[in-house]
Amino acid sequence: MTRDGLPLAPIAPPARRQLPLAEDARPIDRRWLPVYCVWELPLRCNLACRHCGSRAGRARPDELTTDEALRVVAELAELQVMEVTLTGGEAYLREDWTQIARAVRDHGMTASMVTAARTLTAERAREARDAGIEAVSVSIDGLEAAHDGLREVDGSYRAAFEAIEHLRAQGIRVSCNTQIGRGNLRDVPVLLERLIDAGVRAWQLQLTVAMGRASDDPVLLIEPFQMLEVLPMVARLKRRTDEAGVRLWPADDIGYFGPYESLLRGMMPRGHLASCGAGRSCIGLEANGDVKGCLSLPTTDYVGGNVRDYPLRDIWERGIAMRFTRERSTSELWGYCQSCYYADTCLAGCSGTSHVLFGRTGNNPLCHHRALELLAAGKRERLVRLEAASGDRPFDHGQFDIVVEDWPEAGLAQARRVAETGEGWLLSS
Protein backbone atom coordinates (compact mmCIF):
# COMPACT_ATOMS: atom_id res chain seq x y z
CA MET A 1 0.00 0.00 0.00
CA THR A 2 1.10 3.58 -0.63
CA ARG A 3 1.12 6.31 1.99
CA ASP A 4 -2.38 7.43 0.97
CA GLY A 5 -3.73 3.92 1.40
CA LEU A 6 -3.98 2.99 -2.27
CA PRO A 7 -2.78 -0.37 -3.58
CA LEU A 8 0.77 -0.16 -4.87
CA ALA A 9 0.78 0.10 -8.65
CA PRO A 10 3.43 -1.73 -10.68
CA ILE A 11 6.27 0.10 -12.36
CA ALA A 12 5.54 -0.11 -16.07
CA PRO A 13 8.24 -1.63 -18.26
CA PRO A 14 9.88 0.73 -20.74
CA ALA A 15 8.57 1.01 -24.27
CA ARG A 16 9.70 -1.59 -26.78
CA ARG A 17 11.74 0.44 -29.22
CA GLN A 18 12.56 0.09 -32.91
CA LEU A 19 9.70 -2.27 -33.71
CA PRO A 20 9.86 -3.22 -37.39
CA LEU A 21 7.52 -1.49 -39.80
CA ALA A 22 6.18 -2.89 -43.05
CA GLU A 23 8.30 -1.91 -46.03
CA ASP A 24 5.51 -0.04 -47.81
CA ALA A 25 2.12 1.45 -47.04
CA ARG A 26 -0.70 -0.14 -49.00
CA PRO A 27 -3.57 1.85 -50.52
CA ILE A 28 -5.89 0.66 -47.73
CA ASP A 29 -3.43 1.93 -45.10
CA ARG A 30 -3.50 5.39 -46.66
CA ARG A 31 -7.26 5.37 -47.10
CA TRP A 32 -8.01 5.10 -43.40
CA LEU A 33 -7.31 8.18 -41.26
CA PRO A 34 -7.92 8.44 -37.52
CA VAL A 35 -10.55 11.01 -36.64
CA TYR A 36 -10.27 10.38 -32.90
CA CYS A 37 -7.29 9.97 -30.57
CA VAL A 38 -7.28 8.89 -26.92
CA TRP A 39 -4.00 9.84 -25.27
CA GLU A 40 -2.81 8.46 -21.95
CA LEU A 41 -0.97 11.63 -21.00
CA PRO A 42 0.55 10.22 -17.82
CA LEU A 43 0.03 6.81 -16.26
CA ARG A 44 0.28 8.52 -12.89
CA CYS A 45 -3.01 8.54 -10.97
CA ASN A 46 -4.27 9.53 -7.53
CA LEU A 47 -6.62 6.55 -7.47
CA ALA A 48 -6.06 2.83 -7.88
CA CYS A 49 -9.46 1.66 -9.05
CA ARG A 50 -10.33 -2.02 -8.85
CA HIS A 51 -11.52 -2.03 -12.46
CA CYS A 52 -8.64 -0.04 -14.00
CA GLY A 53 -7.43 -1.69 -17.19
CA SER A 54 -4.07 0.10 -17.19
CA ARG A 55 -3.26 -0.45 -13.49
CA ALA A 56 -2.66 3.29 -13.31
CA GLY A 57 -0.84 4.75 -10.33
CA ARG A 58 2.84 5.34 -10.96
CA ALA A 59 4.18 7.30 -13.89
CA ARG A 60 5.87 5.31 -16.63
CA PRO A 61 9.68 5.54 -16.35
CA ASP A 62 10.04 6.87 -19.90
CA GLU A 63 7.11 9.21 -20.50
CA LEU A 64 7.35 11.76 -23.30
CA THR A 65 8.90 15.13 -22.57
CA THR A 66 6.94 18.31 -23.20
CA ASP A 67 8.76 18.96 -26.47
CA GLU A 68 8.12 15.38 -27.64
CA ALA A 69 4.45 15.63 -26.72
CA LEU A 70 4.08 18.91 -28.61
CA ARG A 71 5.65 17.32 -31.68
CA VAL A 72 3.13 14.49 -31.44
CA VAL A 73 0.31 17.04 -31.33
CA ALA A 74 1.52 18.47 -34.64
CA GLU A 75 1.73 14.99 -36.15
CA LEU A 76 -1.81 14.17 -35.01
CA ALA A 77 -3.03 17.29 -36.78
CA GLU A 78 -1.11 16.30 -39.91
CA LEU A 79 -2.95 12.94 -39.79
CA GLN A 80 -6.24 14.90 -39.81
CA VAL A 81 -7.31 13.85 -36.32
CA MET A 82 -10.37 15.87 -35.33
CA GLU A 83 -10.51 15.30 -31.54
CA VAL A 84 -7.89 14.43 -28.94
CA THR A 85 -9.08 13.15 -25.57
CA LEU A 86 -6.52 13.48 -22.80
CA THR A 87 -6.73 10.82 -20.14
CA GLY A 88 -4.43 8.81 -17.88
CA GLY A 89 -3.93 7.87 -15.19
CA GLU A 90 -5.09 11.36 -14.48
CA ALA A 91 -4.23 13.90 -17.15
CA TYR A 92 -4.09 16.95 -14.88
CA LEU A 93 -1.38 15.36 -12.70
CA ARG A 94 1.10 16.05 -15.48
CA GLU A 95 2.51 19.56 -15.02
CA ASP A 96 2.32 20.49 -18.69
CA TRP A 97 -1.20 19.19 -19.30
CA THR A 98 -2.61 22.62 -20.11
CA GLN A 99 0.25 23.37 -22.48
CA ILE A 100 -0.45 20.18 -24.40
CA ALA A 101 -4.20 20.81 -24.41
CA ARG A 102 -3.64 24.33 -25.70
CA ALA A 103 -1.43 23.00 -28.49
CA VAL A 104 -4.20 20.60 -29.51
CA ARG A 105 -6.58 23.54 -29.89
CA ASP A 106 -3.98 25.70 -31.64
CA HIS A 107 -3.62 22.95 -34.27
CA GLY A 108 -7.34 23.08 -35.02
CA MET A 109 -8.37 19.93 -33.15
CA THR A 110 -10.95 19.60 -30.38
CA ALA A 111 -9.39 19.08 -26.95
CA SER A 112 -11.34 17.02 -24.43
CA MET A 113 -10.54 15.10 -21.27
CA VAL A 114 -11.66 12.05 -19.29
CA THR A 115 -11.15 12.23 -15.55
CA ALA A 116 -12.00 10.42 -12.32
CA ALA A 117 -11.88 13.92 -10.80
CA ARG A 118 -10.66 13.06 -7.31
CA THR A 119 -8.88 16.44 -7.10
CA LEU A 120 -10.36 18.35 -10.01
CA THR A 121 -10.68 21.63 -8.15
CA ALA A 122 -12.28 24.89 -9.23
CA GLU A 123 -8.79 26.16 -10.10
CA ARG A 124 -8.10 23.16 -12.34
CA ALA A 125 -11.45 23.65 -14.04
CA ARG A 126 -10.42 27.25 -14.82
CA GLU A 127 -7.09 26.01 -16.15
CA ALA A 128 -8.91 23.54 -18.40
CA ARG A 129 -11.12 26.31 -19.78
CA ASP A 130 -8.19 28.64 -20.35
CA ALA A 131 -6.30 25.87 -22.17
CA GLY A 132 -9.20 25.43 -24.58
CA ILE A 133 -10.59 22.13 -23.32
CA GLU A 134 -14.14 22.11 -24.62
CA ALA A 135 -15.56 18.97 -23.03
CA VAL A 136 -14.77 16.82 -20.00
CA SER A 137 -16.18 13.38 -19.22
CA VAL A 138 -16.28 12.54 -15.51
CA SER A 139 -16.13 8.85 -14.61
CA ILE A 140 -18.88 7.83 -12.18
CA ASP A 141 -19.48 4.12 -11.72
CA GLY A 142 -22.67 3.64 -9.76
CA LEU A 143 -24.10 5.20 -6.63
CA GLU A 144 -21.89 6.28 -3.75
CA ALA A 145 -21.23 2.91 -2.12
CA ALA A 146 -20.49 1.12 -5.39
CA HIS A 147 -18.45 3.99 -6.84
CA ASP A 148 -16.31 4.52 -3.73
CA GLY A 149 -15.90 0.76 -3.40
CA LEU A 150 -14.52 0.51 -6.93
CA ARG A 151 -12.29 3.57 -6.44
CA GLU A 152 -11.21 2.37 -2.98
CA VAL A 153 -11.30 5.95 -1.72
CA ASP A 154 -14.21 7.24 0.35
CA GLY A 155 -15.41 10.59 -0.91
CA SER A 156 -14.47 10.01 -4.55
CA TYR A 157 -18.17 9.94 -5.54
CA ARG A 158 -18.81 13.32 -3.92
CA ALA A 159 -15.62 14.70 -5.46
CA ALA A 160 -16.81 13.66 -8.93
CA PHE A 161 -20.08 15.56 -8.57
CA GLU A 162 -18.24 18.58 -7.16
CA ALA A 163 -16.00 18.49 -10.23
CA ILE A 164 -19.07 18.55 -12.48
CA GLU A 165 -20.13 21.76 -10.74
CA HIS A 166 -16.66 23.30 -11.14
CA LEU A 167 -16.53 22.46 -14.84
CA ARG A 168 -20.03 23.69 -15.61
CA ALA A 169 -19.24 26.94 -13.81
CA GLN A 170 -16.47 27.47 -16.37
CA GLY A 171 -18.76 26.85 -19.31
CA ILE A 172 -17.19 23.49 -20.18
CA ARG A 173 -19.49 20.83 -21.62
CA VAL A 174 -19.69 18.05 -19.07
CA SER A 175 -20.52 14.45 -19.80
CA CYS A 176 -20.20 11.29 -17.77
CA ASN A 177 -18.92 7.80 -18.46
CA THR A 178 -19.96 4.73 -16.50
CA GLN A 179 -18.63 1.21 -16.53
CA ILE A 180 -21.26 -1.48 -16.04
CA GLY A 181 -20.22 -4.43 -13.93
CA ARG A 182 -21.91 -7.07 -11.85
CA GLY A 183 -21.81 -4.99 -8.67
CA ASN A 184 -23.24 -1.71 -9.98
CA LEU A 185 -25.67 -2.88 -12.68
CA ARG A 186 -28.82 -2.04 -10.77
CA ASP A 187 -27.44 1.33 -9.64
CA VAL A 188 -27.30 2.62 -13.19
CA PRO A 189 -30.93 3.82 -13.66
CA VAL A 190 -30.86 5.78 -10.40
CA LEU A 191 -27.45 7.20 -11.27
CA LEU A 192 -28.91 8.59 -14.49
CA GLU A 193 -31.41 10.69 -12.55
CA ARG A 194 -28.60 12.17 -10.47
CA LEU A 195 -26.61 12.95 -13.61
CA ILE A 196 -29.62 14.69 -15.15
CA ASP A 197 -30.00 16.77 -11.99
CA ALA A 198 -26.26 17.59 -12.14
CA GLY A 199 -26.62 18.97 -15.67
CA VAL A 200 -24.50 16.54 -17.70
CA ARG A 201 -24.88 16.82 -21.47
CA ALA A 202 -24.00 13.27 -22.54
CA TRP A 203 -23.42 9.85 -21.02
CA GLN A 204 -21.32 6.95 -22.25
CA LEU A 205 -22.05 3.46 -20.97
CA GLN A 206 -19.49 0.70 -21.34
CA LEU A 207 -18.80 -2.73 -19.91
CA THR A 208 -16.02 -3.44 -17.46
CA VAL A 209 -13.61 -5.63 -19.43
CA ALA A 210 -11.24 -8.28 -18.10
CA MET A 211 -8.04 -6.25 -18.31
CA GLY A 212 -5.63 -4.94 -15.69
CA ARG A 213 -7.03 -4.86 -12.17
CA ALA A 214 -10.48 -5.89 -13.41
CA SER A 215 -9.03 -9.23 -14.47
CA ASP A 216 -7.82 -9.81 -10.89
CA ASP A 217 -11.40 -9.92 -9.62
CA PRO A 218 -13.75 -11.66 -12.07
CA VAL A 219 -16.74 -10.94 -9.83
CA LEU A 220 -16.59 -7.39 -11.23
CA LEU A 221 -17.38 -8.63 -14.72
CA ILE A 222 -20.79 -9.01 -16.34
CA GLU A 223 -21.54 -12.59 -17.33
CA PRO A 224 -22.47 -13.08 -21.00
CA PHE A 225 -26.04 -14.11 -20.12
CA GLN A 226 -26.50 -10.81 -18.26
CA MET A 227 -26.58 -9.03 -21.59
CA LEU A 228 -30.25 -10.08 -21.49
CA GLU A 229 -30.80 -7.45 -18.79
CA VAL A 230 -28.06 -4.97 -19.74
CA LEU A 231 -29.43 -4.11 -23.20
CA PRO A 232 -33.08 -3.69 -22.20
CA MET A 233 -31.89 -1.48 -19.35
CA VAL A 234 -29.81 0.65 -21.72
CA ALA A 235 -32.81 0.92 -24.05
CA ARG A 236 -35.00 2.14 -21.17
CA LEU A 237 -32.34 4.67 -20.25
CA LYS A 238 -32.09 5.85 -23.86
CA ARG A 239 -35.75 6.80 -23.83
CA ARG A 240 -35.22 8.69 -20.58
CA THR A 241 -32.09 10.50 -21.82
CA ASP A 242 -33.92 11.56 -24.98
CA GLU A 243 -36.65 13.01 -22.80
CA ALA A 244 -34.10 14.84 -20.62
CA GLY A 245 -31.97 16.13 -23.51
CA VAL A 246 -28.94 14.03 -22.57
CA ARG A 247 -27.13 12.21 -25.35
CA LEU A 248 -26.53 8.55 -24.53
CA TRP A 249 -23.56 6.80 -26.16
CA PRO A 250 -23.38 3.01 -25.80
CA ALA A 251 -19.70 2.15 -26.19
CA ASP A 252 -18.48 -0.29 -28.81
CA ASP A 253 -18.30 -3.09 -26.24
CA ILE A 254 -22.07 -2.94 -25.57
CA GLY A 255 -23.99 -4.94 -28.11
CA TYR A 256 -24.69 -6.25 -30.53
CA PHE A 257 -27.47 -6.36 -33.14
CA GLY A 258 -30.34 -7.25 -30.86
CA PRO A 259 -33.80 -5.66 -31.04
CA TYR A 260 -32.59 -2.33 -29.59
CA GLU A 261 -29.80 -1.67 -32.09
CA SER A 262 -31.71 0.93 -34.10
CA LEU A 263 -32.88 2.72 -30.96
CA LEU A 264 -29.37 2.87 -29.51
CA ARG A 265 -27.30 3.45 -32.63
CA GLY A 266 -29.70 4.66 -35.28
CA MET A 267 -27.83 7.98 -35.41
CA MET A 268 -24.69 6.27 -36.70
CA PRO A 269 -23.90 6.50 -40.43
CA ARG A 270 -25.09 2.95 -41.10
CA GLY A 271 -27.84 3.00 -38.50
CA HIS A 272 -26.11 0.29 -36.51
CA LEU A 273 -22.74 -0.67 -35.07
CA ALA A 274 -20.04 -1.61 -37.56
CA SER A 275 -16.97 -3.69 -36.82
CA CYS A 276 -14.07 -2.59 -34.58
CA GLY A 277 -12.63 0.79 -35.62
CA ALA A 278 -9.20 0.36 -33.99
CA GLY A 279 -6.52 1.38 -36.47
CA ARG A 280 -9.13 2.70 -38.90
CA SER A 281 -11.02 5.58 -37.32
CA CYS A 282 -9.24 5.82 -33.98
CA ILE A 283 -5.72 5.80 -32.56
CA GLY A 284 -4.38 5.41 -29.03
CA LEU A 285 -1.20 6.79 -27.47
CA GLU A 286 0.48 5.58 -24.32
CA ALA A 287 2.41 8.05 -22.19
CA ASN A 288 5.78 6.67 -23.33
CA GLY A 289 5.01 7.25 -27.02
CA ASP A 290 3.77 3.75 -27.88
CA VAL A 291 1.04 3.84 -30.53
CA LYS A 292 -1.92 1.46 -30.73
CA GLY A 293 -5.03 1.33 -32.87
CA CYS A 294 -7.06 1.94 -29.69
CA LEU A 295 -5.83 2.79 -26.20
CA SER A 296 -8.01 0.03 -24.72
CA LEU A 297 -6.10 -2.72 -26.53
CA PRO A 298 -3.45 -4.75 -24.65
CA THR A 299 0.02 -3.30 -25.08
CA THR A 300 1.92 -6.51 -25.70
CA ASP A 301 0.11 -7.48 -28.90
CA TYR A 302 -1.03 -4.17 -30.37
CA VAL A 303 1.74 -1.56 -30.27
CA GLY A 304 2.66 -0.61 -33.85
CA GLY A 305 5.65 1.58 -33.05
CA ASN A 306 6.93 4.41 -30.88
CA VAL A 307 6.88 8.10 -31.79
CA ARG A 308 10.49 8.44 -30.65
CA ASP A 309 11.52 6.08 -33.43
CA TYR A 310 9.25 6.96 -36.36
CA PRO A 311 6.94 9.75 -37.53
CA LEU A 312 3.38 9.08 -36.44
CA ARG A 313 2.16 8.78 -40.03
CA ASP A 314 4.69 6.02 -40.71
CA ILE A 315 3.48 4.11 -37.65
CA TRP A 316 -0.16 4.58 -38.68
CA GLU A 317 0.42 3.38 -42.25
CA ARG A 318 3.19 0.82 -41.77
CA GLY A 319 2.97 -0.36 -38.17
CA ILE A 320 2.20 -4.06 -38.47
CA ALA A 321 0.01 -4.18 -35.36
CA MET A 322 -1.97 -1.17 -36.57
CA ARG A 323 -3.38 -3.05 -39.57
CA PHE A 324 -5.31 -5.86 -37.95
CA THR A 325 -8.82 -4.47 -38.66
CA ARG A 326 -8.21 -3.03 -42.12
CA GLU A 327 -8.76 -6.26 -44.06
CA ARG A 328 -10.44 -8.36 -41.39
CA SER A 329 -12.80 -11.03 -42.71
CA THR A 330 -15.06 -13.73 -41.32
CA SER A 331 -12.25 -16.27 -41.83
CA GLU A 332 -10.70 -14.87 -38.64
CA LEU A 333 -13.80 -15.58 -36.54
CA TRP A 334 -14.22 -18.65 -34.35
CA GLY A 335 -16.69 -20.13 -31.91
CA TYR A 336 -20.21 -18.77 -31.97
CA CYS A 337 -19.23 -15.62 -33.87
CA GLN A 338 -18.07 -17.67 -36.85
CA SER A 339 -21.61 -18.82 -37.67
CA CYS A 340 -23.53 -15.74 -36.52
CA TYR A 341 -26.04 -14.17 -38.91
CA TYR A 342 -24.29 -10.79 -38.47
CA ALA A 343 -20.75 -12.14 -38.77
CA ASP A 344 -19.78 -10.27 -41.94
CA THR A 345 -20.94 -6.92 -40.50
CA CYS A 346 -19.97 -7.21 -36.84
CA LEU A 347 -16.78 -9.28 -37.19
CA ALA A 348 -16.98 -10.08 -33.45
CA GLY A 349 -17.33 -6.48 -32.33
CA CYS A 350 -14.89 -4.93 -29.86
CA SER A 351 -11.44 -6.45 -30.37
CA GLY A 352 -10.17 -5.57 -26.90
CA THR A 353 -13.08 -7.28 -25.16
CA SER A 354 -12.47 -10.64 -26.82
CA HIS A 355 -8.65 -10.48 -26.74
CA VAL A 356 -8.42 -9.92 -22.99
CA LEU A 357 -10.68 -12.93 -22.44
CA PHE A 358 -9.13 -15.42 -24.83
CA GLY A 359 -5.79 -14.02 -25.98
CA ARG A 360 -7.11 -13.47 -29.51
CA THR A 361 -9.93 -11.71 -31.29
CA GLY A 362 -12.79 -13.23 -33.23
CA ASN A 363 -15.25 -14.50 -30.62
CA ASN A 364 -17.09 -12.10 -28.32
CA PRO A 365 -19.58 -13.62 -25.87
CA LEU A 366 -20.73 -10.24 -24.46
CA CYS A 367 -23.40 -9.88 -27.12
CA HIS A 368 -27.14 -9.35 -26.77
CA HIS A 369 -28.08 -11.07 -30.04
CA ARG A 370 -26.01 -14.09 -29.04
CA ALA A 371 -27.57 -14.25 -25.56
CA LEU A 372 -31.05 -14.14 -27.10
CA GLU A 373 -30.25 -16.93 -29.57
CA LEU A 374 -28.91 -19.12 -26.78
CA LEU A 375 -31.90 -18.35 -24.57
CA ALA A 376 -34.23 -19.55 -27.31
CA ALA A 377 -32.46 -22.91 -27.03
CA GLY A 378 -32.60 -22.84 -23.22
CA LYS A 379 -28.85 -22.23 -23.00
CA ARG A 380 -26.58 -19.58 -21.55
CA GLU A 381 -22.87 -18.81 -21.36
CA ARG A 382 -20.63 -18.07 -18.39
CA LEU A 383 -16.97 -17.07 -18.21
CA VAL A 384 -14.48 -19.07 -16.17
CA ARG A 385 -11.01 -17.73 -15.49
CA LEU A 386 -8.30 -20.25 -16.29
CA GLU A 387 -5.24 -18.09 -15.69
CA ALA A 388 -4.74 -14.86 -13.75
CA ALA A 389 -3.07 -11.80 -15.22
CA SER A 390 0.59 -11.24 -14.39
CA GLY A 391 -0.27 -8.10 -12.44
CA ASP A 392 3.07 -6.48 -13.22
CA ARG A 393 2.30 -4.20 -16.18
CA PRO A 394 -0.40 -1.96 -17.64
CA PHE A 395 -3.09 -3.43 -19.90
CA ASP A 396 -2.27 -7.05 -18.97
CA HIS A 397 -4.89 -9.77 -18.92
CA GLY A 398 -5.50 -13.38 -17.93
CA GLN A 399 -7.13 -16.23 -19.80
CA PHE A 400 -10.79 -17.23 -19.70
CA ASP A 401 -12.94 -20.00 -21.12
CA ILE A 402 -16.62 -20.06 -22.07
CA VAL A 403 -18.96 -22.52 -20.40
CA VAL A 404 -22.21 -23.24 -22.25
CA GLU A 405 -24.87 -24.65 -19.95
CA ASP A 406 -28.61 -25.14 -19.58
CA TRP A 407 -30.40 -22.25 -17.96
CA PRO A 408 -31.17 -23.06 -14.32
CA GLU A 409 -34.89 -23.83 -14.12
CA ALA A 410 -35.41 -21.25 -11.38
CA GLY A 411 -34.27 -18.40 -13.61
CA LEU A 412 -35.33 -19.48 -17.08
CA ALA A 413 -38.91 -18.17 -17.00
CA GLN A 414 -37.76 -14.77 -15.70
CA ALA A 415 -35.01 -14.59 -18.32
CA ARG A 416 -37.59 -15.15 -21.02
CA ARG A 417 -39.84 -12.45 -19.57
CA VAL A 418 -36.98 -9.96 -19.50
CA ALA A 419 -36.10 -10.84 -23.09
CA GLU A 420 -39.69 -10.60 -24.32
CA THR A 421 -40.82 -7.46 -22.48
CA GLY A 422 -37.57 -5.53 -22.07
CA GLU A 423 -38.49 -4.93 -18.44
CA GLY A 424 -37.20 -6.25 -15.13
CA TRP A 425 -34.07 -8.03 -13.98
CA LEU A 426 -32.86 -11.59 -13.91
CA LEU A 427 -33.62 -13.36 -10.68
CA SER A 428 -30.00 -14.27 -10.04
CA SER A 429 -26.65 -13.42 -11.53
Side-chain angles (χ1 to χ4, degrees), residues 134-155:
E134 298 181 36
V136 174
S137 181
V138 179
S139 302
I140 305 179
D141 296 309
L143 302 178
E144 187 166 10
H147 178 92
D148 285 1
L150 285 169
R151 305 287 173 185
E152 298 202 309
V153 173
D154 290 343

Side-chain angles (χ1 to χ4, degrees), residues 33-87:
L33 290 171
V35 296
Y36 183 52
C37 171
V38 182
W39 189 347
E40 173 202 273
L41 205 55
L43 189 59
R44 182 186 171 198
C45 193
N46 53 15
L47 290 167
C49 304
R50 293 170 59 204
H51 57 335
C52 178
S54 64
R55 299 188 184 274
R58 301 188 190 190
R60 295 180 186 269
D62 54 350
E63 295 188 352
L64 298 178
T65 66
T66 301
D67 286 345
E68 288 170 331
L70 294 176
R71 175 173 57 80
V72 169
V73 171
E75 292 183 346
L76 287 168
E78 194 271 332
L79 264 181
Q80 302 180 44
V81 168
M82 298 178 65
E83 180 177 354
V84 179
T85 295
L86 305 178
T87 183

Side-chain angles (χ1 to χ4, degrees), residues 248-302:
L248 187 143
W249 286 100
D252 289 354
D253 65 357
I254 290 188
Y256 307 85
F257 293 99
Y260 307 111
E261 185 72 7
S262 294
L263 172 68
L264 297 178
R265 297 191 174 96
M267 70 293 197
M268 298 181 73
R270 300 180 187 179
H272 58 76
L273 188 71
S275 59
C276 176
R280 294 189 297 164
S281 58
C282 62
I283 189 171
L285 298 175
E286 294 185 355
N288 59 11
D290 277 345
V291 183
K292 302 187 286 192
C294 170
L295 186 61
S296 297
L297 292 167
T299 298
T300 302
D301 296 288
Y302 290 98

Side-chain angles (χ1 to χ4, degrees), residues 2-22:
T2 59
R3 284 179 296 178
D4 57 2
L6 297 176
L8 190 64
I11 298 175
R16 290 179 298 147
R17 302 291 300 277
Q18 302 295 337
L19 292 173
L21 302 183

